[in-house]
Amino acid sequence: MDNENRVIILTSNEDLINQLSANKIPDTHTINFNYLDNLSQLNSKIDKFNDRICVICRNVAIGYNYDVLTCASCRIFFYRNQNQRNKLKCLLRQGQCSIDYKHDRKCPRCRLDRCFQVGMRKDLRINHQQKRHISSKSVSQPTHTTDNHFPLKLVDFVLSK
Amino acid sequence: MDNENRVIILTSNEDLINQLSANKIPDTHTINFNYLDNLSQLNSKIDKFNDRICVICRNVAIGYNYDVLTCASCRIFFYRNQNQRNKLKCLLRQGQCSIDYKHDRKCPRCRLDRCFQVGMRKDLRINHQQKRHISSKSVSQPTHTTDNHFPLKLVDFVLSK
DNA sequence: TTAGAACAATCTGTCCTC
DNA sequence: AGAGGACAGATTGTTCTA
Ligand SMILES: [Zn+2]
Ligand SMILES: [Zn+2]
Ligand SMILES: [Zn+2]
Ligand SMILES: [Zn+2]
């Protein structure tokens, strides 16, 4: 799953619904609102859509760590550095570095900032399982980077069912 | 020695020569061509002018390594990575990173490229002691960086004595 | 499931010898 | 003086336990 663009389509158009029902379209998940019980279930679908990708670096995620879906290395990175921000220096001095697992070295300052941006918290964690998925903020990579991949994440979604 | 600009002045102007002879001017070295025997001697003066600064990262240089005046860490970096260029990835993906000892993390790809740019060579070394100083190419840091310090280096200087 | 500890790998820099 | 080996520190990543 390396497509550039990802969209959520909410529709009541019969033709489109029939088209989606008739054919299995790659990289596409459809959700019938009538069978949707709760937000957790919807986010579960979105997780599959995301292929469980780390929100920080796009590596394969191992699960929710400090409230955010991340890989193992970003998890331990946040654990180690959450209180060390002042010690970390931006490699570019611009605070605009993109963080990507494909590049072996990463800017620790911008990596930690991204952790906070997407909502990783040690002390202010939300305890309820179901609220966990909501806590992640939708944050895009800095605009200067060309490959602007990041997992879709539902934020404060209100079911209008 | 952290001055921004450095110049070589070649002069036969008596007033200027008298001024330079009369006063000890900080960060300034004068060379009397009449007492100059060879290129090595001139480069020795230039070394003092440079304060023996690493051509790669502006750290204190330990001497000539692989034909170029560098610090210990840049020396061992080149030794280890001279044949590993393909394994090193540019942190910025632009190949334009500035390399400076004051910043703890460095882009290895751009650091190695800079090593080659300034003429570090393992296999194609010039053996003669006296030619050593000539082999370094004068290469400036990438233009996007603001602190454009680099040691002066004499390249193919021809004595017109 | 996920937080944290323990272990391991990687990368970098310094010291030492020849 | 400079090349290379060896050791050491910093940083990052993986595995294991509970
Ligand atoms: Zn990650
Ligand atoms: Zn950065
Ligand atoms: Zn250096
Ligand atoms: Zn670079």
Side-chain angles (χ1 to χ4, degrees):
Chain A
M1 217 231 346
D2 258 338
N3 306 1
E4 280 282 351
N5 300 309
R6 298 182 237 181
V7 296
I8 293 181
I9 302 171
L10 303 176
T11 185
S12 56
N13 180 288
E14 288 290 337
D15 289 341
L16 181 55
I17 292 171
N18 287 337
Q19 179 195 337
L20 294 171
S21 304
N23 310 296
K24 171 61 186 157
I25 304 177
D27 294 338
T28 300
H29 301 265
T30 59
I31 303 153
N32 189 327
F33 266 41
N34 296 328
Y35 300 133
L36 189 65
D37 283 339
N38 53 44
L39 189 55
S40 178
Q41 196 179 340
L42 179 56
N43 271 301
S44 169
K45 282 277 184 183
I46 290 176
D47 277 352
K48 283 178 188 165
F49 187 64
N50 284 339
D51 256 346
R52 291 184 75 82
I53 289 176
C54 172
V55 175
I56 310 297
C57 74
R58 303 211 312 124
N59 200 347
V60 176
I62 60 167
Y64 282 86
N65 301 288
Y66 307 102
D67 283 341
V68 176
L69 187 66
T70 74
C71 70
S73 65
C74 287
R75 179 183 73 81
I76 202 69
F77 176 86
F78 181 76
Y79 168 69
R80 285 165 175 155
N81 296 286
Q82 54 187 311
N83 296 319
Q84 311 298 320
R85 186 172 185 274
N86 289 338
K87 293 182 182 174
L88 306 179
K89 296 173 187 172
C90 175
L91 295 174
L92 282 179
R93 315 176 217 181
Q94 304 294 318
Q96 296 283 305
C97 305
S98 75
I99 307 299
D100 197 296
Y101 76 102
K102 289 177 182 171
H103 298 78
D104 34 10
R105 313 301 288 326
K106 298 162 185 172
C107 173
R109 174 67 166 256
C110 292
R111 191 182 187 183
L112 182 63
D113 284 349
R114 185 155 174 79
C115 289
F116 286 125
Q117 279 180 329
V118 299
M120 292 182 86
R121 288 282 141 70
K122 186 171 189 180
D123 302 324
L124 290 175
R125 276 215 306 287
I126 299 170
N127 290 321
H128 303 91
Q129 184 76 8
Q130 220 173 328
K131 289 182 181 174
R132 179 178 282 150
H133 295 79
I134 305 174
S135 69
S136 294
K137 299 171 194 163
S138 190
V139 176
S140 67
Q141 290 274 6
T143 50
H144 80 289
T145 173
T146 49
D147 58 346
N148 215 343
H149 297 268
F150 60 95
L152 281 170
K153 196 70 196 166
L154 211 60
V155 181
D156 288 333
F157 190 89
V158 178
L159 292 179
S160 55
K161 177 183 172 182
Chain B
M1 216 230 350
D2 259 337
N3 306 2
E4 280 282 350
N5 299 309
R6 297 181 239 181
V7 296
I8 294 181
I9 301 170
L10 302 176
T11 184
S12 58
N13 180 288
E14 288 290 337
D15 289 343
L16 181 55
I17 291 171
N18 288 336
Q19 178 194 337
L20 294 171
S21 305
N23 309 297
K24 172 62 187 158
I25 303 176
D27 293 338
T28 300
H29 300 265
T30 58
I31 303 155
N32 189 329
F33 266 41
N34 296 328
Y35 299 135
L36 188 65
D37 282 339
N38 53 42
L39 190 53
S40 178
Q41 196 178 343
L42 180 54
N43 271 302
S44 169
K45 282 279 185 182
I46 290 176
D47 277 352
K48 284 178 189 164
F49 186 63
N50 284 339
D51 254 346
R52 292 183 75 81
I53 289 177
C54 172
V55 175
I56 310 296
C57 75
R58 303 211 311 124
N59 200 347
V60 176
I62 59 167
Y64 282 85
N65 301 288
Y66 307 102
D67 283 341
V68 176
L69 187 66
T70 75
C71 71
S73 65
C74 288
R75 180 183 72 82
I76 202 71
F77 175 86
F78 181 76
Y79 169 69
R80 286 165 175 154
N81 296 287
Q82 54 187 311
N83 296 321
Q84 312 296 320
R85 186 172 185 274
N86 289 338
K87 293 183 182 175
L88 306 180
K89 295 170 186 171
C90 175
L91 294 175
L92 281 179
R93 314 178 210 183
Q94 304 294 317
Q96 295 283 306
C97 305
S98 75
I99 307 299
D100 197 297
Y101 77 101
K102 289 177 183 171
H103 298 79
D104 34 11
R105 313 303 284 329
K106 298 163 184 172
C107 173
R109 174 67 165 256
C110 291
R111 191 181 187 184
L112 183 63
D113 284 349
R114 184 154 174 79
C115 289
F116 285 125
Q117 278 180 330
V118 299
M120 292 181 86
R121 289 283 140 70
K122 185 170 189 179
D123 302 323
L124 290 175
R125 276 217 305 289
I126 300 170
N127 290 322
H128 303 90
Q129 185 77 6
Q130 221 174 327
K131 288 181 180 175
R132 177 177 282 150
H133 295 78
I134 305 174
S135 68
S136 293
K137 298 171 194 164
S138 190
V139 176
S140 68
Q141 290 273 7
T143 49
H144 81 288
T145 173
T146 49
D147 57 346
N148 215 343
H149 298 267
F150 60 95
L152 281 170
K153 195 70 196 166
L154 210 61
V155 180
D156 289 331
F157 189 89
V158 179
L159 292 179
S160 55
K161 178 183 173 182

